[in-house]
Amino acid sequence: MKKKTSKEDSLEWAQKAFNKLKESKTIKYRSKLEENVANLLQGLGVSYEYESTRVPYTIQHHYCPDFILPNHVLLETKGYWDAADRRKILAVKKDNPYLDLRMVFQSPYNKINKKSKTTYAMWCEKHDIPWTSYHNIPLEWLI
């Protein structure tokens, strides 16, 4: 007959198994050079963390809107709208809240990426950015 294990024994076993799994996890480096430096550090007994921290930074850029209308509306037109362009638009809006920036899409109901349910239109609505499709530009936007 098997001996019943206590809750403490179960927790101790689970912790040991977790630690073993954590230690055996192989790190995937982004380059052979990074892997070589890691091997050097390990060989010298130097402890390190690999890509464990994110540090924010800002790079100064300039935005050139596609169209500037006499009514001071800025129109940005997009067929394909990638993540970098979305980040740029958010940064422009954040740093220039006085701008009246509006998006004109070829296909506003395209998904922002293959795995997302979010469309270009939904993304704009979430970030309070007026949008329209090319075929439905409101006349009041233009005059």
Side-chain angles (χ1 to χ4, degrees), residues 36-140:
N36 289 341
V37 170
N39 290 335
L40 174 67
L41 294 172
Q42 287 172 356
L44 294 172
V46 177
S47 64
Y48 66 90
E49 295 178 11
Y50 178 73
E51 294 191 349
S52 63
T53 304
R54 292 183 182 263
V55 179
Y57 65 96
T58 302
I59 298 175
Q60 181 67 39
H61 287 283
H62 296 279
Y63 168 63
C64 186
D66 292 333
F67 301 93
I68 301 175
L69 305 180
N71 60 1
H72 306 288
V73 168
L74 307 181
L75 295 181
E76 185 66 27
T77 59
K78 290 291 176 192
Y80 174 70
W81 201 24
D82 65 16
D85 284 336
R86 292 191 303 274
R87 280 191 298 274
K88 175 177 69 176
I89 293 298
L90 279 183
V92 168
K93 291 286 289 177
K94 179 181 174 233
D95 291 347
N96 305 277
Y98 57 88
L99 290 179
D100 187 357
L101 176 62
R102 303 175 188 193
M103 301 299 299
V104 178
F105 296 112
Q106 180 176 336
S107 301
Y109 301 109
N110 281 355
K111 306 281 194 254
I112 61 172
N113 65 51
K114 290 179 185 176
K115 296 179 182 177
S116 178
K117 292 181 181 178
T118 303
T119 64
Y120 297 170
M122 292 164 67
W123 189 94
C124 283
E125 288 169 4
K126 177 181 176 185
H127 296 286
D128 296 320
I129 299 172
W131 66 273
T132 188
S133 69
Y134 163 72
H135 297 290
N136 294 312
I137 299 173
L139 187 58
E140 57 270 15

